Amino acid sequence: MMSQWTRDCRPACSAGRGRLMLCAMKAIGRTLQVIGLTIPPLAIVAELAETISLGQMLAFLVAGACSFWIGRITEGYSGR
Protein backbone atom coordinates (compact mmCIF):
# COMPACT_ATOMS: atom_id res chain seq x y z
CA MET A 1 0.00 0.00 0.00
CA MET A 2 1.36 3.41 -0.98
CA SER A 3 1.51 6.17 1.62
CA GLN A 4 0.07 9.64 1.06
CA TRP A 5 3.58 11.14 0.91
CA THR A 6 4.63 8.68 -1.81
CA ARG A 7 1.55 9.43 -3.91
CA ASP A 8 2.07 13.19 -3.54
CA CYS A 9 5.79 13.25 -4.31
CA ARG A 10 6.30 10.51 -6.86
CA PRO A 11 5.43 12.69 -9.91
CA ALA A 12 7.35 15.63 -8.44
CA CYS A 13 10.47 13.54 -7.74
CA SER A 14 10.64 12.26 -11.30
CA ALA A 15 10.09 15.69 -12.90
CA GLY A 16 13.63 17.08 -12.59
CA ARG A 17 16.25 18.40 -10.23
CA GLY A 18 14.27 21.44 -9.03
CA ARG A 19 11.23 19.33 -8.25
CA LEU A 20 13.44 16.74 -6.54
CA MET A 21 14.77 19.45 -4.23
CA LEU A 22 11.22 20.51 -3.33
CA CYS A 23 10.29 16.89 -2.68
CA ALA A 24 13.31 16.51 -0.39
CA MET A 25 12.39 19.71 1.45
CA LYS A 26 8.90 18.35 1.99
CA ALA A 27 10.27 15.07 3.35
CA ILE A 28 12.71 16.87 5.66
CA GLY A 29 9.92 19.14 6.89
CA ARG A 30 7.61 16.24 7.66
CA THR A 31 10.41 14.39 9.43
CA LEU A 32 11.12 17.42 11.61
CA GLN A 33 7.43 17.66 12.43
CA VAL A 34 7.31 14.02 13.52
CA ILE A 35 10.42 14.53 15.66
CA GLY A 36 8.82 17.64 17.15
CA LEU A 37 5.71 15.67 18.04
CA THR A 38 7.72 12.80 19.54
CA ILE A 39 10.05 14.76 21.83
CA PRO A 40 7.47 16.25 24.28
CA PRO A 41 5.82 12.95 25.34
CA LEU A 42 9.23 11.35 25.80
CA ALA A 43 10.36 14.32 27.91
CA ILE A 44 7.23 14.10 30.06
CA VAL A 45 7.71 10.37 30.61
CA ALA A 46 11.39 10.90 31.50
CA GLU A 47 10.45 13.62 33.99
CA LEU A 48 7.77 11.43 35.57
CA ALA A 49 10.34 8.65 35.91
CA GLU A 50 12.60 11.23 37.58
CA THR A 51 15.48 10.68 35.15
CA ILE A 52 15.53 14.37 34.12
CA SER A 53 14.73 17.52 36.05
CA LEU A 54 11.80 19.84 35.44
CA GLY A 55 14.10 22.39 33.80
CA GLN A 56 15.48 19.79 31.42
CA MET A 57 11.96 18.69 30.54
CA LEU A 58 11.03 22.27 29.75
CA ALA A 59 14.10 22.59 27.52
CA PHE A 60 13.05 19.41 25.66
CA LEU A 61 9.52 20.78 25.25
CA VAL A 62 10.87 24.00 23.73
CA ALA A 63 13.20 22.00 21.45
CA GLY A 64 10.25 19.87 20.30
CA ALA A 65 8.13 22.95 19.57
CA CYS A 66 11.00 24.56 17.64
CA SER A 67 11.59 21.37 15.67
CA PHE A 68 7.93 21.18 14.71
CA TRP A 69 7.84 24.86 13.75
CA ILE A 70 10.98 24.62 11.59
CA GLY A 71 9.57 21.50 9.94
CA ARG A 72 6.28 23.25 9.22
CA ILE A 73 8.03 26.22 7.65
CA THR A 74 10.31 23.96 5.60
CA GLU A 75 7.36 21.94 4.33
CA GLY A 76 5.46 25.15 3.57
CA TYR A 77 8.31 26.49 1.44
CA SER A 78 8.31 23.31 -0.61
CA GLY A 79 4.83 24.16 -1.89
CA ARG A 80 2.68 21.64 -3.71
Side-chain angles (χ1 to χ4, degrees):
M1 182 173 222
M2 198 180 303
S3 70
Q4 178 68 31
W5 180 83
T6 307
R7 282 192 301 256
D8 288 346
C9 280
R10 182 169 290 169
C13 289
S14 62
R17 185 177 179 144
R19 297 291 243 165
L20 182 63
M21 187 65 149
L22 292 177
C23 189
M25 282 179 61
K26 189 174 207 173
I28 291 169
R30 286 189 180 184
T31 302
L32 283 171
Q33 288 178 24
V34 169
I35 290 170
L37 289 173
T38 305
I39 291 174
L42 294 176
I44 292 169
V45 168
E47 202 278 326
L48 289 174
E50 298 180 357
T51 57
I52 62 173
S53 68
L54 187 61
Q56 289 172 324
M57 183 192 72
L58 188 57
F60 278 117
L61 295 177
V62 170
C66 290
S67 173
F68 184 85
W69 181 67
I70 291 169
R72 180 62 191 107
I73 290 194
T74 303
E75 184 186 11
Y77 278 131
S78 72
R80 263 221 149 215

